[in-house]
C-alpha cells in the first residue's frame, strides 16, 4: 500500500497549476447518460474517482476513453439501468446516476453509495426529489429502485442545502415533462458548471447560481462538449501549503472568486494575498494569526478546506475555533494531527486549536478520508523530521499528483510503494 513521506522544514516557492475539478467532473460525466452520442469533455482530472466513474458508466453500457486532452464518453440507446454495488460502493457520487437513468430509461436500480466516512450523508433528499418528479421509489437488497413512465415537473423544496441533491434534480428535471422549480438550491460552482453543461446540451434552465432554479423540461438533449472548471479545493490546498510553510506560492489556472472565503481568512490571518484574473499568490506573513472558521454552503467557507485550514492554525499565534457546519463527523483528522504534536480539543462539531506550542514533530499517521489526508500532508511540511502518511488511496481519489506538485515548489516529499511480500514456496 502506498504512503506519502514528507520531511518538514522547507519553505515552498514558485508557481503551480490547478487541475480540473473532481466535484464538477463527476456529475457532468453522469449527465452524459441523458443523451445518445459522443460526449467530449476537457480538463477532466486523472483521479481514482474519475476511474471509478468511468467503470460505472461502462457498466451501464457507455464506452469511455481519453483522446489527448479530451475525455470521451460514447452513449448508445438501450444501455443498462442497474448501477451495481461493486461500482457505487467506491464513491458516494455514484448516486448521481439515479436522476439521469430514471429520466432517460424510466427505471433505475442504484446501489446505496460509499465514499469517505465523514458522516451519515443520507440519500433521502435524492429519493424525495425523484418522488417529487413523479417516480415510484422502493428499496430491495441495498438498492434504491425508481420507476416512472416519464418524470413530471414539480416543486422541489430542499429542507437543507444539498449539492448532490440539486445536481440530481437538475439532471432529472431536464428531461421531465413540464416545469420544475428547485428551491433552496445549492449555489456551489460545481452545480453552476453542471447547469452550464446541461444548457449546452439543450436544457432550459434559469436561475443558475441562485437559490431558486427553474427547469423547463425538453423531449431530448444533445451530446455535450464542455470544459470542466478548475478545482477550487485543490487550489485552496496548494495555497494553504504555501501559507503553512511561510512561502511565496502562486496557484494559477484557477478561478479566484471561487476561493473568496479562503482568501478572506488568509488575509485575516496576516498573509498577503495578490489576486489576478486566473491566479492567486500567497506570501509569507510576519506571523500567522489565529482565526475562527465555520463551514457553510457556498459562498461560505468550504467544508472540504476545513481540515487543511486547521493544519495551518496549528502554526498560528493564539487560539482558533473551528466549527463544522456541514458534516457531523469531520474531525477524524484531529487525532492524527495530535500525533504530530498539535494541541487540539475536539467536540462533536467544534474544535479548539491552540497554535502557540513547541511545534509539530514527524510521526506515522493515517489518512481517514480525502481531505484529512491533505491536512496531514500539509502538517508534515512543517513538522520536524519525517512524517509518513498511510492509506493515501483517499488522497488519490481527489488530488492529481499532489506530491509532485508540492515537490515542484520545493517540498521534500515522495510517494513510497510497499512491495507485497512473496508467498512462501512449498
Amino acid at each position: 500500500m502506498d504512503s506519502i513521506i514528507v520531511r518538514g522544514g522547507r519553505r515552498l516557492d514558485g508557481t503551480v497549476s490547478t487541475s480540473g475539478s473532481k466535484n464538477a467532473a463527476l456529475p457532468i460525466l453522469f449527465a452524459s447518460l441523458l443523451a445518445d452520442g459522443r460526449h467530449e469533455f476537457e480538463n477532466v482530472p486523472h483521479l481514482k474517482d474519475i476511474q471509478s466513474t468511468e467503470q460505472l458508466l461502462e457498466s451501464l453500457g457507455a464506452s469511455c476513453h481519453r483522446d489527448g486532452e479530451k475525455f470521451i464518453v460514447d452513449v448508445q440507446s438501450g444501455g443498462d439501468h442497474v448501477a451495481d454495488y461493486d461500482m457505487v460502493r467506491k464513491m458516494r457520487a455514484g448516486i448521481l446516476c439515479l436522476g439521469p437513468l430514471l429520466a432517460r430509461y424510466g427505471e433505475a436500480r442504484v446501489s446505496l453509495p460509499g465514499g469517505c466516512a465523514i458522516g451519515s450523508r443520507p440519500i433521502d433528499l435524492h429519493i424525495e426529489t425523484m418522488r417529487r418528479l413523479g417516480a415510484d421509489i422502493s428499496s430491495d437488497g441495498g438498492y434504491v429502485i425508481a420507476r416512472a413512465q416519464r418524470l413530471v415537473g414539480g416543486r422541489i423544496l430542499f429542507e437543507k442545502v444539498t449539492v448532490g441533491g440539486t445536481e440530481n434534480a437538475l439532471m432529472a428535471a431536464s428531461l421531465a415533462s413540464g416545469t420544475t422549480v428547485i428551491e433552496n438550491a445549492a449555489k456551489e460552482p460545481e452545480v453552476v458548471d453542471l447547469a452550464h453543461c446541461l444548457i449546452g446540451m439543450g436544457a432550459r434552465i434559469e436561475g443558475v447560481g441562485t437559490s431558486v432554479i427553474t427547469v423547463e423540461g425538453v423531449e431530448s438533449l444533445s451530446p455535450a462538449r464542455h470544459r470542466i472548471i478548475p478545482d477550487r479545493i485543490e487550489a485552496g490546498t496548494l495555497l494553504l501549503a504555501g501559507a503553512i510553510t511561510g512561502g511565496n506560492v502562486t496557484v494559477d489556472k484557477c478561478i479566484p472568486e471561487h476561493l473568496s472565503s479562503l482568501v478572506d481568512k488568509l488575509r485575516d490571518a496576516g498573509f498577503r494575498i495578490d489576486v489576478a484574473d486566473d491566479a492567486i499568490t500567497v506570501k509569507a506573513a510576519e506571523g500567522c494569526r489565529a482565526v475562527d472558521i465555520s463551514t457553510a454552503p457556498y459562498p461560505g467557507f468550504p467544508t472540504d478546506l476545513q481540515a487543511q485550514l486547521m493544519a495551518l492554525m496549528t502554526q498560528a499565534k493564539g487560539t482558533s475555533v473551528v466549527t463544522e457546519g456541514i458534516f457531523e463527523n469531520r474531525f477524524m483528522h484531529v487525532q492524527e494531527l495530535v500525533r504530530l504534536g498539535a494541541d487540539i480539543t475536539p467536540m462533536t462539531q467544534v474544535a479548539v486549536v491552540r497554535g502557540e506550542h513547541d511545534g509539530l514533530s514527524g510521526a506515522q499517521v493515517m489518512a481517514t478520508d480525502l481531505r484529512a489526508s491533505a491536512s496531514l500532508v500539509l502538517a508534515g511540511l512543517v513538522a520536524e523530521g519525517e512524517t509518513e502518511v498511510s492509506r493515501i488511496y483517499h488522497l488519490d481519489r481527489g488530488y492529481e499528483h499532489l506530491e509532485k506538485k508540492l515537490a515542484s515548489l520545493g517540498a521534500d516529499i515522495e510517494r513510497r510503494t510497499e512491495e507485497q511480500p512473496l508467498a512462501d514456496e512449498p
Side-chain angles (χ1 to χ4, degrees):
M1 185 178 296
D2 287 5
S3 60
I4 293 288
I5 308 298
V6 190
R7 300 170 190 89
R10 290 195 179 185
R11 165 185 160 135
L12 301 190
D13 290 285
T15 299
V16 64
S17 297
T18 313
S19 300
S21 169
K22 173 184 86 84
N23 289 337
L26 298 181
I28 286 173
L29 291 178
F30 284 121
S32 65
L33 295 170
L34 293 167
D36 284 351
R38 176 186 167 100
H39 301 255
E40 298 182 359
F41 303 105
E42 296 180 346
N43 206 31
V44 176
H46 294 76
L47 302 169
K48 288 291 186 182
D49 272 9
I50 298 297
Q51 293 176 10
S52 297
T53 299
E54 179 179 349
Q55 293 169 3
L56 178 51
L57 288 171
E58 290 182 339
S59 76
L60 296 170
S63 62
C64 307
H65 69 277
R66 290 186 184 264
D67 182 4
E69 296 298 316
K70 294 181 179 179
F71 189 100
I72 309 299
V73 182
D74 193 358
V75 178
Q76 302 299 326
S77 60
D80 201 349
H81 60 269
V82 179
D84 190 71
Y85 168 75
D86 284 338
M87 298 288 117
V88 180
R89 68 180 176 83
K90 299 176 183 178
M91 58 174 186
R92 179 172 175 77
I95 194 64
L96 293 175
C97 69
L98 175 64
L101 289 175
L102 181 59
R104 183 76 188 288
Y105 300 113
E107 184 173 358
R109 183 183 176 95
V110 181
S111 173
L112 295 173
C116 287
I118 58 175
S120 60
R121 300 199 292 183
I123 63 169
D124 56 328
L125 296 177
H126 298 260
I127 293 173
E128 183 59 28
T129 291
M130 300 306 136
R131 284 200 175 110
R132 292 282 183 176
L133 296 177
D136 177 56
I137 307 289
S138 61
S139 62
D140 180 49
Y143 284 80
V144 174
I145 304 168
R147 295 184 177 90
Q149 192 165 28
R150 185 183 179 186
L151 295 176
V152 179
R155 177 174 176 259
I156 300 170
L157 172 59
F158 289 120
E159 184 176 355
K160 60 182 179 180
V161 176
T162 164
V163 172
T166 301
E167 291 167 341
N168 243 333
L170 280 172
M171 291 185 284
S174 293
L175 289 181
S177 173
T179 302
T180 298
V181 178
I182 307 169
E183 297 176 299
N184 198 26
K187 305 174 187 177
E188 271 70 5
E190 297 79 16
V191 174
V192 174
D193 201 33
L194 170 63
H196 287 161
C197 178
L198 291 170
I199 291 170
M201 296 170 69
R204 298 174 182 172
I205 303 173
E206 296 182 352
V208 177
T210 75
S211 58
V212 180
I213 302 175
T214 302
V215 184
E216 185 70 33
V218 297
E219 289 293 329
S220 63
L221 296 172
S222 302
R225 286 174 176 80
H226 185 78
R227 182 174 179 81
I228 307 298
I229 60 172
D231 195 314
R232 63 190 172 108
I233 304 304
E234 183 202 34
T237 300
L238 293 168
L239 285 171
L240 286 164
I244 200 171
T245 63
N248 185 340
V249 170
T250 297
V251 180
D252 65 7
K253 296 183 180 179
C254 66
I255 302 177
E257 67 184 78
H258 290 172
L259 288 158
S260 58
S261 60
L262 174 62
V263 167
D264 289 344
K265 287 299 178 182
L266 286 173
R267 284 176 172 155
D268 290 345
F271 294 93
R272 178 180 170 186
I273 307 294
D274 295 332
V275 178
D277 289 341
D278 66 346
I280 305 174
T281 300
V282 59
K283 297 182 180 180
E286 289 296 326
C288 176
R289 296 191 296 265
V291 294
D292 297 338
I293 65 162
S294 181
T295 65
Y298 189 84
F301 193 90
T303 181
D304 281 352
L305 286 175
Q306 176 255 108
Q308 299 92 307
L309 190 106
M310 185 182 290
L312 175 63
M313 288 300 97
T314 67
Q315 305 302 299
K317 296 179 180 178
T319 299
S320 58
V321 176
V322 177
T323 303
E324 175 52 53
I326 304 297
F327 296 118
E328 74 277 14
N329 189 25
R330 204 162 201 181
F331 284 150
M332 291 188 292
H333 52 279
V334 168
Q335 292 306 317
E336 299 303 301
L337 289 173
V338 169
R339 283 181 54 80
L340 296 172
D343 186 353
I344 307 174
T345 303
M347 299 294 285
T348 304
Q349 289 187 263
V350 176
V352 176
V353 186
R354 301 168 188 87
E356 294 181 290
H357 56 80
D358 294 334
L360 304 182
S361 298
Q364 289 183 320
V365 291
M366 180 178 65
T368 54
D369 61 72
L370 170 55
R371 307 307 173 183
S373 60
S375 75
L376 297 175
V377 171
L378 264 57
L381 292 173
V382 291
E384 182 179 353
E386 183 176 283
T387 297
E388 180 177 3
V389 184
S390 63
R391 296 179 67 185
I392 61 164
Y393 55 84
H394 289 295
L395 193 76
D396 293 336
R397 287 184 48 232
Y399 289 96
E400 187 176 66
H401 307 307
L402 180 62
E403 74 278 8
K404 293 181 180 179
K405 292 189 176 186
L406 293 174
S408 74
L409 297 171
D412 187 352
I413 183 172
E414 63 180 327
R415 178 180 292 254
R416 178 177 295 168
T417 301
E418 295 289 344
E419 294 187 6
Q420 297 295 323
L422 298 175
D424 293 336
E425 294 185 1

